[in-house]
Amino acid sequence: MAGRIVAALCALALLFQAAASLAADRDTPYAALLAAHVADGVVDYAGLKKDEATLDAYLAALAAVDPAVLSGPERFAYYINVYNAWTLKLILEHYPGIRSIKDAGSLFRSPWQRAFVRLRAGTVSLDDVEHGILRPQFHDPRVHFAVNCASQSCPPLAGAPYAGATLDAALDAAARAFINNPANTFFKDGTLHVSRIFDWYGEDFGGPEGVWRFIRRYAAPPLAAAMDAAARHELAYTPYDWSLNGR
């Protein structure tokens, strides 16, 4: 019996290793697109539009993936890439002439509610990916700094695909970079001003005190010192700029 268990575990490990290798190959075209058209989170949509066929081929490759054969980190990374790549596609469908992702919606349906994301299990919406898969399945608030909503106030689009082997470090880096940007996090009159992300998804961070602890965890020394010296743990949420993250 023990031998069978060991053999099964070895087979499972080999399956995950093969899946990770396939993921790296699959994501290569997407990596090239990001390298060519994304700089410091700013997207060259005009240039990306010329390479839309490459993006379409990548989206088709994503749709063919069976997430069940991926390890936990690989599956997490896969769905982040799904969200971000399909958000790019959404913008390109309306480009040029789109000034905000909200322009891709309608009077009756937001762009995040539209079912256009093709997965192996069927066609879903961006909301389904974020609120039906990423948040409830992985329970990691750092995801809010990895998924990109194509907007100025959104955490910037990463310049490379997410991968299971480096996911933890990449999520830490994304959270740290966003939090320590003084445009996103700053003190004014004794109150810590933070992104509205921490308001909308406060429960993912454990409420206001959880938000404070999360930010303190990633705060660079100047921000950390200011937080430690604060007389009260009071938060204010900054206005959100929905204008397009492009040039």
Side-chain angles (χ1 to χ4, degrees):
M1 177 64 72
R4 291 179 181 177
I5 293 175
V6 171
L9 290 174
C10 288
L12 186 61
L14 289 172
L15 179 63
F16 284 159
Q17 184 177 15
S21 178
L22 288 173
D25 292 341
R26 181 190 66 238
D27 291 339
T28 297
Y30 182 47
L33 288 175
L34 293 175
H37 303 300
V38 180
D40 298 325
V42 178
V43 182
D44 173 16
Y45 286 107
L48 185 61
K49 184 71 175 178
K50 297 176 182 177
D51 286 335
E52 190 169 9
T54 301
L55 178 62
D56 288 344
Y58 175 65
L59 296 176
L62 289 177
V65 172
D66 180 2
V69 305
L70 304 177
S71 68
E74 286 290 343
R75 190 163 60 252
F76 194 1
Y78 164 76
Y79 281 116
I80 294 173
N81 291 332
V82 163
Y83 189 97
N84 289 342
W86 277 100
T87 297
L88 290 174
K89 178 62 178 178
L90 178 65
I91 300 301
L92 292 185
E93 286 182 349
H94 299 268
Y95 188 89
I98 183 171
R99 302 181 66 180
S100 166
I101 188 172
K102 290 188 171 185
D103 295 342
S106 68
L107 182 62
F108 304 103
R109 183 182 62 187
S110 82
W112 297 280
Q113 295 171 325
R114 173 188 161 198
F116 76 110
V117 178
R118 295 189 302 276
L119 300 177
R120 185 178 176 125
T123 302
V124 300
S125 68
L126 290 171
D127 266 357
D128 291 329
V129 176
E130 182 177 9
H131 307 307
I133 299 174
L134 284 169
R135 293 176 64 207
Q137 290 189 17
F138 300 100
H139 303 285
D140 190 330
R142 296 176 300 173
V143 72
H144 296 297
F145 309 100
V147 294
N148 181 262
C149 63
S151 303
Q152 291 289 339
S153 287
C154 192
L157 178 63
Y162 285 90
T166 56
L167 182 61
D168 191 58
L171 292 177
D172 271 347
R176 186 173 294 109
F178 185 80
I179 286 169
N180 289 291
N181 183 337
N184 301 324
T185 315
F186 58 92
F187 271 96
K188 182 179 180 181
D189 299 327
T191 298
L192 183 62
H193 291 247
V194 301
S195 169
R196 199 162 290 276
I197 288 170
F198 291 109
D199 180 24
W200 295 329
Y201 303 109
E203 64 186 90
D204 292 0
F205 297 92
E209 279 301 317
V211 167
W212 188 280
R213 289 191 298 270
F214 184 90
I215 292 173
R216 177 61 181 82
R217 173 185 170 189
Y218 289 101
L223 176 60
M227 294 181 73
D228 293 344
R232 61 189 186 276
H233 291 185
E234 184 175 336
L235 301 173
Y237 304 101
T238 57
Y240 211 80
D241 183 356
W242 288 105
S243 57
L244 200 64
N245 62 338
R247 59 177 175 83

